[in-house]
Amino acid sequence: MKIVVCVKHVPDATADRAFTEDGTTDRDAVDSVLSELDEYAVEQALRITESGVDAEVTYLTVGPDDAKDALRKALAMGGDSAIHVSDEDIRGSDAAATTLVLARAIERHGFDLVVCGMASTDGSMGVVPAMLAERLGVPAVTHLDELAVSVEDGSVTGRREGESATVRIQGTLPAVVSVTDRSGDARYPSFKGIMAAKKKPLETLDLADLDIEPKWTGPSAARSAVDTAAKRPPRSKGEIVVDEGAGGVGLAAFLTTKKFV
């Protein structure tokens, strides 16, 4: 069984992120890391192999040269190999173009199951798994808090928590699934895993390898764009209510003016 896990190298969510003049994320301004939500996808793929399923786990990412750091961290957690799609013409691509690149790379490699995080921590759109399934022509089983695979039945099942109900979902393999941050804590890479990751195969591809024309990617092909971006305003000094016997009244008045009550 071939499992492909899509991961993303994103600007650190705790850093002060910014945009460049063309509306894309300024990735040089802050350090980047493996998207935290994608770590749950890595964990679920590894748990499938540990459950007794004979599977090969491959990580896939699209991004500049340093995006390989995300692949190396995933490989340090476990898994067998990685694929890095890097091409300057991909820069500035939207979700539609990104899923085209991902789909071509996945088809080239071969797959039975594609595992994604519920969203990236930079774009936070959450549409890539469903769009990817559409491009691959397979079922999308998304936003799962629990994931199980049966090779004998050729199926994937999971549990999705809704606002009013818990739903169990089943799809046939091959399929694309996405898992939430409630699916199970991701493991930490061990020293042994970090050292082993350096020797695991990592293949680098470009658009030509995937038979994708540059005009199909990048800002010119994007179906969405950032018109303007502004820095977050500095945090203003808070108001101190001195309690001299009427502190509760002052607090209630403050909450009322802010329409909290």
Side-chain angles (χ1 to χ4, degrees), residues 70 146 210:
E146 179 184 281
L210 302 177

Side-chain angles (χ1 to χ4, degrees), residues 83-104:
I83 301 171
H84 178 209
V85 183
S86 180
D87 196 303
E88 183 60 30
D89 289 318
I90 298 176
R91 183 179 181 275
S93 294
D94 63 358
T98 298
T99 54
L100 170 63
V101 176
L102 290 171
R104 290 288 179 89

Side-chain angles (χ1 to χ4, degrees), residues 24-193:
T24 58
T25 304
D26 186 355
R27 297 183 179 277
D28 296 328
V30 296
D31 292 333
S32 293
V33 297
L34 169 63
S35 178
E36 181 181 354
L37 294 175
D38 289 342
E39 292 186 15
Y40 296 97
V42 173
E43 177 64 28
Q44 290 306 306
L46 296 176
R47 289 190 186 187
I48 291 173
T49 65
E50 293 169 350
S51 70
V53 175
D54 184 12
E56 169 192 301
V57 176
T58 299
Y59 303 109
L60 169 63
T61 197
V62 177
D65 186 64
D66 60 357
K68 287 187 290 189
D69 293 343
L71 295 174
R72 289 299 182 194
K73 180 174 182 180
L75 287 170
M77 294 169 69
D80 303 286
S81 61
I83 301 171
H84 178 209
V85 183
S86 180
D87 196 303
E88 183 60 30
D89 289 318
I90 298 176
R91 183 179 181 275
S93 294
D94 63 358
T98 298
T99 54
L100 170 63
V101 176
L102 290 171
R104 290 288 179 89
I106 291 169
E107 289 171 334
R108 184 181 188 273
H109 176 72
F111 73 102
D112 296 292
L113 179 67
V114 179
V115 186
C116 306
M118 59 188 286
S120 64
T121 54
D122 55 352
S124 302
M125 296 181 67
V127 299
V128 165
M131 295 177 72
L132 184 56
E134 175 69 18
R135 288 195 180 277
L136 294 172
V138 300
V141 186
T142 58
H143 288 86
L144 301 180
D145 298 326
E146 179 184 281
L147 173 64
V149 173
S150 173
V151 177
E152 292 78 12
D153 297 337
S155 65
V156 56
T157 58
R159 185 188 75 235
R160 179 191 294 162
E161 296 286 351
E163 292 184 1
S164 59
T166 298
V167 182
R168 295 205 68 84
I169 308 169
Q170 184 177 47
T172 55
L173 294 173
V176 174
V177 303
S178 69
V179 296
T180 72
D181 53 356
R182 296 186 297 273
S183 58
D185 293 337
R187 67 195 65 189
Y188 290 100
S190 64
F191 177 75
K192 182 179 179 181

Side-chain angles (χ1 to χ4, degrees), residues 238-258:
E239 180 181 346
I240 299 176
V241 176
V242 180
D243 187 4
E244 296 179 342
V249 176
L251 178 59
F254 172 79
L255 294 175
T256 300
T257 59
K258 299 297 183 181

